[in-house]
Amino acid sequence: MIEASAKSKDPTLPQKKVSSARVLVAAMLGTTIEWYDFFIYGTAAALIFSQVFFPSSDPATGTLTAFAAFGAGFIMRPLGGVIIGHLGDKYGRRPMLMATVLLMGGATVAIGVLPSYAAIGIWAPSLLVLLRLLQGFAAGGEWGGATLMAIEHAPRNRRTFYGAFTQAAVPIAYLLSAAMFLVLQSALDKNALLAWGWRIPFLLSIVVVAIAVFVRSGVAESPEFAAKTKKAEKLPLLQVLTKYPRTVALTIGLTIVTSTDFYLGQVFLLSYATAHAGVAASSMLLVTIMGSAVNAGMTFVAARLADRIGNRTVFYIGIIGLAVLAFPTYLIVNTGSVGAILAVRMIGNAFNAAAYAPIASILAGAFNVKVRYTGVSLCYQAAAVLGGGFAPFIAQALLTGTGSWTAVAGYSVTLCLISFVSMTLLGKAAKENREQAVLPAVA
């Protein structure tokens, strides 16, 4: 077992010897819990919130409003990434990871006790959006910190594989959130689910957050951060924007498609298949659960392959596969065949994993360690806003406005093209700071 030791920036904490396994478990478990909290809103938005918090005589309008509130959380993610990233570059990765999990957990539990529209009127959706913004702020700083803790503890020839532990946490979190709602739908009738059952997944965050805090408290600071940051940058964001402008633009561009594809497949399709193809919500939840399991498993496979044959090659495989599947996916969903939908979604999730797995090491390799937390968080979270957060809203708007799913599929293909071009151009931009990188950003 590889051992890593580091002296924390906090002088009150003694130097610790921490196994790689403990670091990876802490990164993956904490991120899984945070994204579980974040995703249960997405599942609830597709199935519950349009009726509880956004009542409307027009179901499509209610769903559109619920998805808009879902996207509101993404607006805060770049801000959370910049602020928490700044503090992480100054004080270390470890304290920020403790703070993000507590903030996310608190906001999620608060949603679980929030009165409905019928009880307090307009205050209900207003408070829901506010709590969603807090969730987004916490999520903005979580991914970058957890990813860097894993990668900065990794052997140089396994950076992508170590980074895959936080990458895989995202589909695992969605799997857990969807599974929770599937159990509730099976155990409760519709009235009970709408009245109180939907609150259970949110309230359970009290337990899982306590577990995450316990695990993360035993992990020392990143050794690479501790060794190279004798004097922290005063304004990491300014350094990122002035020294790496092209890198920022291109990394946002290449990251955008995986975020969009994930939320279209796991949130929008859940709503589309139930409303337009007559598929039972429980069947679509099962599809998303199994698809997420494939995504998580293939993330590790793709990451290991990327460590051997290069990030660029594996990324291209994923992007091309997603573009090819865009139109066939909706044709198959429209058949209403659960078996066929499951098959195409499993293939789609495998391609998504191929594109998604290398992103952690690509982003980490693009920035100097002194500004890395800020740079990685800014690029990843900006892509999440532009491509992912409002993807269900944009897709629903395209569907409502044109009356056809082809506009949604075209939207997916367009973003695949943007990410393909961005990856192609990133090689030259990576030279801006190759000597300081964790590994070459494009290999």
Side-chain angles (χ1 to χ4, degrees):
M1 182 176 292
I2 301 166
E3 301 291 332
S5 61
K7 186 173 291 184
S8 174
K9 298 288 285 183
D10 185 347
T12 65
L13 295 174
Q15 182 170 335
K16 295 182 180 181
K17 192 175 186 181
V18 183
S19 71
S20 294
R22 179 69 181 258
V23 171
L24 294 176
V25 169
M28 186 175 187
L29 177 61
T31 304
T32 299
I33 291 168
E34 286 228 29
W35 287 101
Y36 163 83
D37 286 353
F38 198 71
F39 286 148
I40 54 175
Y41 180 97
T43 306
L47 301 176
I48 305 291
F49 285 172
S50 62
Q51 301 171 68
V52 175
F53 291 105
F54 305 99
S56 172
S57 57
D58 178 7
T61 301
T63 300
L64 195 63
T65 307
F67 281 157
F70 173 77
F74 284 77
I75 295 175
M76 293 294 287
R77 282 174 58 174
L79 180 61
V82 168
I83 293 177
I84 296 171
H86 171 89
L87 296 174
D89 282 327
K90 188 173 183 179
Y91 299 109
R93 286 67 165 121
R94 182 179 181 274
M96 294 304 102
L97 290 179
M98 298 294 283
T100 56
V101 76
L102 289 171
L103 180 58
M104 175 70 82
T108 303
V109 171
I111 291 176
V113 298
L114 193 62
S116 68
Y117 184 91
I120 60 173
I122 193 64
W123 283 104
S126 299
L127 290 173
L128 180 65
V129 170
L130 175 61
L131 292 171
R132 182 65 181 166
L133 293 176
L134 290 177
Q135 280 190 321
F137 185 87
E142 162 65 26
W143 183 88
T147 294
L148 295 184
M149 280 292 281
I151 289 178
E152 291 176 356
H153 275 91
R156 191 164 294 273
N157 65 341
R158 301 188 74 190
R159 303 291 191 182
T160 305
F161 183 71
Y162 272 50
F165 279 79
T166 50
Q167 299 293 77
V170 178
I172 289 173
Y174 194 87
L175 184 157
L176 293 175
S177 67
M180 178 62 69
F181 274 99
L182 179 61
V183 170
L184 290 174
Q185 283 197 326
S186 301
L188 302 173
D189 60 35
K190 183 176 180 180
N191 290 334
L193 185 62
L194 291 174
W196 56 270
W198 67 267
R199 300 180 185 275
I200 294 174
F202 292 87
L203 297 176
L204 284 177
S205 290
I206 295 175
V207 177
V208 293
V209 166
I211 296 172
V213 170
F214 172 76
V215 173
R216 284 186 168 179
S217 65
V219 177
E221 185 54 80
S222 153
E224 191 167 349
F225 172 84
K228 293 187 177 181
T229 52
K230 296 179 180 179
K231 184 178 180 181
E233 295 284 354
K234 292 183 178 180
L235 295 172
L237 177 61
L238 181 62
Q239 293 295 316
V240 168
L241 294 178
T242 56
K243 289 186 177 181
Y244 308 93
R246 190 172 182 221
T247 297
V248 168
L250 293 177
T251 50
I252 290 174
L254 72 90
T255 305
I256 198 170
V257 71
T258 55
S259 181
T260 301
D261 178 76
F262 185 84
Y263 289 107
L264 285 180
Q266 306 297 70
V267 177
F268 173 72
L269 269 184
L270 179 60
S271 174
Y272 177 84
T274 56
H276 295 274
V279 182
S282 58
S283 296
M284 282 307 298
L285 281 172
L286 185 60
V287 168
T288 60
I289 290 169
M290 296 182 70
S292 294
V294 169
N295 197 311
M298 287 302 297
T299 295
F300 290 108
V301 174
R304 199 72 186 104
L305 184 63
D307 278 330
R308 294 180 178 180
I309 69 173
N311 288 329
R312 181 198 294 266
T313 301
V314 174
F315 181 85
Y316 280 155
I317 291 171
I319 291 298
I320 293 171
L322 291 176
V324 170
L325 275 182
F327 284 87
T329 293
Y330 288 91
L331 288 171
I332 291 172
V333 170
N334 286 334
T335 68
S337 170
V338 176
I341 294 171
L342 175 61
V344 76
R345 287 305 303 143
M346 291 179 75
I347 296 171
N349 274 279
F351 282 125
N352 182 282
Y356 189 55
I359 285 176
S361 61
I362 290 172
L363 266 62
F367 299 98
N368 182 292
V369 67
K370 292 185 178 183
V371 298
R372 186 174 293 149
Y373 199 150
T374 301
V376 164
S377 297
L378 172 65
C379 296
Y380 185 86
Q381 303 306 340
V385 173
L386 296 174
F390 286 98
F393 176 84
I394 293 171
Q396 183 66 40
L398 288 171
L399 180 65
T400 302
T402 66
S404 173
W405 57 267
T406 57
V408 182
Y411 169 51
S412 296
V413 172
T414 300
L415 291 177
C416 285
L417 180 61
I418 291 172
S419 289
F420 186 95
V421 172
S422 296
M423 174 59 89
T424 302
L425 297 176
L426 185 62
K428 294 181 179 180
K431 295 179 181 179
E432 293 177 0
N433 197 44
R434 188 175 294 264
E435 72 280 0
Q436 296 290 347
V438 173
L439 79 169
V442 180

